Amino acid sequence: MTESIMTTKTQTITKTAEERKAALAQHVAQAVAGGARVESQSDYQAVVIYGKRVNHILHAILTIFTVLLWAFVWVLLAIMGGEKRKLIQVDDFGNVTVQKV
């Protein structure tokens, strides 16, 4: 299930393919400047990732050496941390939407 989290002003005039690609490129560049990395991209949509994967091996070792004290931190990081994906799309009218994936 996805939910829209950001939209730009709604346009009602059909845009050319080049204008749509330029709008997507601009939004992807802003996301990358904000710390995201591009997972996949096509002509009119892209998936960007924020954050890093949780290193479960490291946390397992820390949990063992701290006699389960580190397990609380590990569980919090597994739930709250990690990678967050967003889908950036451009429709036929040049409207850009960003959705959590």
Side-chain angles (χ1 to χ4, degrees):
M1 178 156 89
T2 62
E3 65 180 67
S4 179
I5 62 168
M6 181 182 85
T7 58
T8 57
K9 287 200 281 184
T10 303
Q11 301 290 325
T12 56
I13 300 171
T14 304
K15 301 290 183 178
T16 65
E18 291 77 24
E19 291 172 322
R20 293 171 61 198
K21 290 176 186 178
L24 178 65
Q26 178 183 3
H27 277 75
V28 169
Q30 289 174 352
V32 169
R37 42 188 209 283
V38 179
E39 181 178 52
S40 66
Q41 184 172 352
S42 66
D43 288 341
Y44 307 115
Q45 69 180 14
V47 176
V48 294
I49 303 174
Y50 291 89
K52 295 182 181 179
R53 291 183 180 173
V54 176
N55 187 343
H56 292 290
I57 295 172
L58 171 65
H59 292 289
I61 292 170
L62 288 172
T63 300
I64 292 168
F65 283 119
T66 61
V67 191
L68 300 178
L69 292 175
W70 191 257
F72 179 71
V73 175
W74 185 11
V75 169
L76 284 177
L77 286 173
I79 293 171
M80 305 293 281
E83 297 176 332
K84 307 290 188 230
R85 286 176 171 74
K86 293 186 180 179
L87 174 67
I88 304 172
Q89 298 182 80
V90 180
D91 65 11
D92 291 339
F93 304 105
N95 300 316
V96 178
T97 56
V98 178
Q99 299 174 333
K100 292 181 182 178
V101 179

